[in-house]
Amino acid sequence: QQRLPKGSDQQLLPLTATAGPDTAAWNALAAVLVKTDRLSDAAAAVDRAVQAAQAAGSKIPPIEGFAALIRGYRNAGMKGKAVAALRQFLSLGGKPGRVMCNDVITVCLRDSDLRTARQVVRAMELTGSVSEVDIQGYKAWFNRWEARKRATESQAATGASSTVQGNSNGSSSRGGDGAVPGGGAPVPGQAAAVERLKWWLGLPNKYYDAAENGSGR
């Protein structure tokens, strides 16, 4: 008879004719494998648990194994696999628990997939897994999530707009070489001082023109 592995380095044991239909053992094995991040092996163990349950004449899929597997997918951020595992559980006639469904909803919202999250609640409703009070609680959860998402998007848009506006203001307030800040024309006294400095440096200037104009007044 097969036993659960004591260490995470042991390989998943294949189901053989001598394994025996021990659903609880396969569920426990799936949980161990999830904790060691061996999700593909955990999924295989859940499949073996399903086979063991069916061999024992049970019409209910092993919720413990599916719940552990979905938790692993949630922690790994694997939305597609989490949703697929829940759908498999439902297709086998399972009645999902709230913890299992909350894990799927959480990973969906992390991926901004509100539509699938709402479908999970609908599945719970159709299988009689939630009360009307629970449904209202989920609606409130989704409303809070949407409000936070809108606030985050608004803050991001405001920040981007402020950055663009700041860059625009900065470029318009900086004059070019020799320009007066603000774009105004040089005052007369300042212009004369500039021309006098050019004359002193031996550069082309209008210093004498300004002097002649001044002597003619």
Side-chain angles (χ1 to χ4, degrees), residues 28-63:
L29 177 58
V32 170
L33 293 169
V34 166
K35 289 181 180 179
T36 57
D37 297 325
R38 294 168 58 184
L39 298 181
S40 60
D41 286 344
V46 170
D47 288 339
R48 309 292 165 68
V50 171
Q51 295 175 24
Q54 292 173 344
S58 174
K59 296 182 179 180
I60 302 175
I63 189 172

Side-chain angles (χ1 to χ4, degrees), residues 9-90:
D9 56 337
Q10 290 179 283
Q11 296 297 317
L12 177 65
L13 300 176
L15 180 65
T16 65
T18 60
D22 194 342
T23 306
W26 288 114
N27 283 335
L29 177 58
V32 170
L33 293 169
V34 166
K35 289 181 180 179
T36 57
D37 297 325
R38 294 168 58 184
L39 298 181
S40 60
D41 286 344
V46 170
D47 288 339
R48 309 292 165 68
V50 171
Q51 295 175 24
Q54 292 173 344
S58 174
K59 296 182 179 180
I60 302 175
I63 189 172
E64 297 85 358
F66 276 97
L69 181 61
I70 288 174
R71 173 60 57 90
Y73 288 146
R74 186 208 70 173
N75 293 342
M78 303 171 71
K79 183 195 75 173
K81 288 187 177 295
V83 173
L86 178 60
R87 286 175 176 168
Q88 180 186 5
F89 180 78
L90 293 171

Side-chain angles (χ1 to χ4, degrees), residues 43-178:
V46 170
D47 288 339
R48 309 292 165 68
V50 171
Q51 295 175 24
Q54 292 173 344
S58 174
K59 296 182 179 180
I60 302 175
I63 189 172
E64 297 85 358
F66 276 97
L69 181 61
I70 288 174
R71 173 60 57 90
Y73 288 146
R74 186 208 70 173
N75 293 342
M78 303 171 71
K79 183 195 75 173
K81 288 187 177 295
V83 173
L86 178 60
R87 286 175 176 168
Q88 180 186 5
F89 180 78
L90 293 171
S91 69
L92 293 171
K95 183 177 180 179
R98 290 188 60 181
V99 173
M100 175 194 297
C101 292
N102 287 349
D103 283 343
V104 178
I105 291 171
T106 297
V107 74
C108 285
L109 294 182
R110 286 176 184 171
D111 196 43
S112 297
D113 188 356
L114 182 59
R115 179 174 176 272
T116 302
R118 284 176 169 157
Q119 289 177 346
V120 173
V121 176
R122 180 58 177 165
M124 296 172 69
E125 185 178 4
L126 293 175
T127 55
S129 303
V130 287
S131 65
E132 183 60 32
V133 174
D134 294 331
I135 294 174
Q136 295 304 317
Y138 281 110
K139 288 181 179 180
W141 180 7
F142 296 154
N143 288 338
R144 290 193 301 271
W145 178 85
E146 287 183 300
R148 287 195 299 268
K149 187 172 184 290
R150 285 194 298 268
T152 300
E153 292 173 347
S154 177
Q155 290 175 358
T158 301
S161 176
S162 299
T163 301
V164 172
Q165 183 177 2
N167 292 338
S168 176
N169 291 338
S171 62
S172 63
S173 63
R174 292 192 297 271
D177 293 341

